[in-house]
Each structure stands twice: as structure tokens, then as C-alpha cells.
Amino acid sequence: MSAFLFANLNPDIILDAIESQGIFPSSGLLALNSYENRVYQFQADDGLRYVVKFYRPERWTNQQIEEEHQFSLSMAEVDVPVVAPLVIQGQSLFEYQGWRFAIFPSVGGRSFEVDNLDQLERVGQYLGRMHQKVGSTLFEHRLSINTEEMLDQPLSLLRDWLPEGLAVPFFTVAEQVAEAAKAAYQPQSIIRLHGDCHPSNILWRDGPMLVDLDDARNGPAVQDLWMMLAGDDNERRLQLEVLLEGYEAFCDFDSRELALIEPLRAMRMIHYMGWLARRWQDAAFQRAFPWFNSQRYWEEQILALKEQLAALQQAPLSLIPGY
């Protein structure tokens, strides 16, 4: 099945797949924001709301998806707030007519406010609890964060995408960023991570609720922390202090990992460009990212990479003196 045949995933198949697990929708299907997979919210005849997630073909193996599910279920068992999949007759990953899917409870919530220091400390507490309680058992089938996947492969793919006249300036700076990131990305230890822990993947109810573990990986602990930091150096230092105050109530943090923040940011930037190029045949991507692959887009990426190269050449973010 082609990775770009989500158009064949029609409402009849979706409803039949859900009903195959003994859950009977009583409402229409509301498509939720998701580009990598297809995700729909619905209400069932039991009065509860659910979310069904259909996985993109050819991306993850069944073992990799099941590891993600087991990770989130393990988090729930130790009181880390996470949206974990339903387990029905001992299974959390299902298949219907070749489509793999999972069903989750639907939870509401407000946006997590990164500039709210009280909320930030609470998030730090739960991330520390997650890393301490379930982080040490590494994924067996999911990849660890690595420079080949995050840097080499995207840059190789992008060689066919740059418009004439911008290829040389783009790859000149991109290759410098990649080499600097490779040299600096030397994690001392790795654990099991959420992997994509940015503010949009945290809902706020009475406290934080972690969602979307689709990119769960092994990697350094700081990967689940650095995307919470925003603003200038002083703002980020304050945010880091508050985040770690909550985190270290449960789990020690190795301050040497702060030197990994800018390499990880560089890896994310280049991987994101490659991700858009790799998925561009999917019509959903063309609708959601119409600016991709324009002359202006690549000019902006050249500028962003130059700024990132400068960041890689500076001293890493440090904790507030006296922390």
C-alpha cells in the first residue's frame, strides 16, 4: 500500500474499522490536525468521545507502534498524565483491510502556556517522573536519535529540491551546520523519551496532559526539555531553572546535556525540511504547507541555517548562576 494513498481511507472504512472493535459511533467524524497520520474524533453510542488514529503505511513497523503504546501505558501506570490507547481484548493496535489503527479516549484541555512559570514547573515535575519511572527501559525496535537520519538523509534528499541559484548557498551553510552538529552531539547517556515534547503536544487540564508519542525515541533527557524554552538567553535561563526545579524533584539532570540543545535544534531544522520534501506527494501537505519549496522558503532557510551555525559556535546555554 502506497504511503500516499490516504485518499482511499474513506468514511465507510473508518466507521467499519471502529465498529470492528465493538465501538459504535453515533456522530460524524471530525478530522483533527495531523499530517503524518489520519486522526478523527467521534462520539460513540455509550455517550463517550473517542479519537481514532490511522497510521501512515510504511512508516513504522507493528513492533515499533506497539512499543509506543506500551510506553504510554507504562506512563499511565505510574501516574504520568498521558493519553494512552485503549486496550481491547489484550490489544492496542488493530488492523482493518490493511489499515493499522488505534483508538484513544478523547480528552479536552487548554493550550499549555510556556510563559506561565507555574505550569512550566508542573510540566518539569511530570517529565522528571516519566524519565525516572519508565525512561531507563530503552526501546528495542524504535531508533535512537541519530545524525544519519536527522542530518545526512534529509540533506541527500534535498539535493533534488533546491531551485537553481540557491543550491550552492544552501548546501554550503547546511553542510557546515551538519558537521558542527555532528561534532557537538555526543550524548553521555540515553533514555526512553517522548521525543517530540513541544508545547503543542501538551494539553492543560487540572495539570499537564502529554499527547502524541508518535515520535518516541531513545535519546538524551534534554530532548524532552529544550523545546519548552523560548525567547532571549535570559528568558530561556529562567525557564530552564523553573523547568529543572520541577524535573529534579524526581530525576537528576546532567547539566552537560545543555551542550546538546543547539545540535538537537539543528538536527530538527534539517530533518523538518526533509520531512516536508519526503511527504510532498501527499495532498494534505500541499494544502497545509503551500509555501514549501518556494524561492522565498529556501531563502529563509538559508538565513535560519546561518543563524543556527552562529548558535552552534557560541557557548551553550548555562544555568542561572547559583542554581
Side-chain angles (χ1 to χ4, degrees), residues 256-272:
R256 292 176 297 178
E257 290 200 3
L258 297 179
L260 303 178
I261 291 177
E262 294 309 326
L264 286 166
R265 191 191 313 277
M267 292 160 70
R268 186 175 178 85
M269 290 171 63
I270 291 176
H271 183 265
Y272 184 76

Side-chain angles (χ1 to χ4, degrees), residues 61-87:
T61 66
N62 286 358
Q63 291 171 316
Q64 289 170 326
I65 296 172
E66 287 165 352
E67 276 194 325
E68 172 209 332
H69 291 181
Q70 186 276 328
F71 184 35
S72 59
L73 290 165
S74 296
M75 290 164 59
E77 288 174 0
V78 295
D79 297 324
V80 174
V82 62
V83 180
L86 299 182
V87 177

Side-chain angles (χ1 to χ4, degrees), residues 34-275:
S34 179
Y35 307 113
E36 191 63 20
N37 305 297
R38 293 296 182 267
V39 182
Y40 303 91
Q41 184 186 79
F42 64 93
Q43 185 168 340
D45 61 0
D46 59 7
L48 300 177
R49 289 186 305 155
Y50 298 91
V51 168
V52 61
K53 174 180 180 178
F54 288 85
Y55 290 90
R56 179 177 290 274
E58 303 175 9
R59 183 174 182 232
W60 296 121
T61 66
N62 286 358
Q63 291 171 316
Q64 289 170 326
I65 296 172
E66 287 165 352
E67 276 194 325
E68 172 209 332
H69 291 181
Q70 186 276 328
F71 184 35
S72 59
L73 290 165
S74 296
M75 290 164 59
E77 288 174 0
V78 295
D79 297 324
V80 174
V82 62
V83 180
L86 299 182
V87 177
I88 301 173
Q89 296 183 349
Q91 290 185 283
S92 59
L93 178 63
F94 314 109
E95 184 172 329
Y96 184 81
Q97 294 188 9
W99 296 99
R100 295 172 301 167
F101 67 99
I103 302 173
F104 301 79
S106 177
V107 299
R110 307 188 306 276
S111 298
F112 163 52
E113 301 169 10
V114 180
D115 57 351
N116 183 320
L117 298 183
D118 290 335
Q119 290 190 10
L120 192 63
E121 183 177 0
R122 292 279 301 280
V123 169
Q125 290 172 351
Y126 282 114
L127 291 176
R129 184 176 180 85
M130 177 181 77
H131 288 179
Q132 194 271 332
K133 292 288 187 180
V134 297
S136 60
T137 303
L138 298 180
F139 291 118
E140 179 181 354
H141 301 287
R142 285 183 165 247
L143 296 175
S144 297
I145 295 172
N146 65 88
T147 57
E148 180 181 358
E149 181 189 14
M150 303 296 286
L151 296 171
D152 295 340
Q153 292 177 9
L155 286 178
S156 178
L157 174 66
L158 291 172
R159 292 195 178 278
D160 295 328
W161 285 79
L162 267 292
E164 186 176 353
L166 291 180
V168 170
F170 175 85
F171 284 107
T172 297
V173 65
E175 288 169 359
Q176 291 180 54
V177 168
E179 289 307 310
K182 289 177 187 178
Y185 183 66
Q186 303 293 334
Q188 300 297 309
S189 63
I190 61 172
I191 62 173
R192 194 163 52 162
L193 301 167
H194 181 292
D196 194 27
C197 196
H198 55 75
S200 294
N201 278 339
I202 300 175
L203 293 176
W204 196 266
R205 294 162 64 84
D206 297 329
M209 175 71 70
L210 302 177
V211 301
D212 193 3
L213 275 72
D214 201 55
D215 288 306
R217 298 291 181 98
N218 300 320
V222 74
Q223 170 65 16
D224 277 349
L225 304 175
W226 73 266
M227 282 182 274
M228 306 291 169
L229 311 179
D232 61 29
D233 282 353
N234 289 332
E235 290 172 314
R236 291 190 295 141
R237 284 193 185 95
L238 175 59
Q239 293 161 359
L240 179 62
E241 178 188 26
V242 171
L243 190 62
L244 289 179
E245 185 174 349
Y247 184 91
E248 293 202 306
F250 293 92
C251 189
D252 291 336
F253 178 76
D254 185 348
S255 61
R256 292 176 297 178
E257 290 200 3
L258 297 179
L260 303 178
I261 291 177
E262 294 309 326
L264 286 166
R265 191 191 313 277
M267 292 160 70
R268 186 175 178 85
M269 290 171 63
I270 291 176
H271 183 265
Y272 184 76
M273 298 177 210
W275 176 66

Side-chain angles (χ1 to χ4, degrees), residues 157-158 161 272-281 292 298:
L157 174 66
L158 291 172
W161 285 79
Y272 184 76
M273 298 177 210
W275 176 66
L276 291 176
R278 188 176 294 110
R279 296 289 185 250
W280 194 240
Q281 295 178 53
F292 175 68
W298 294 114

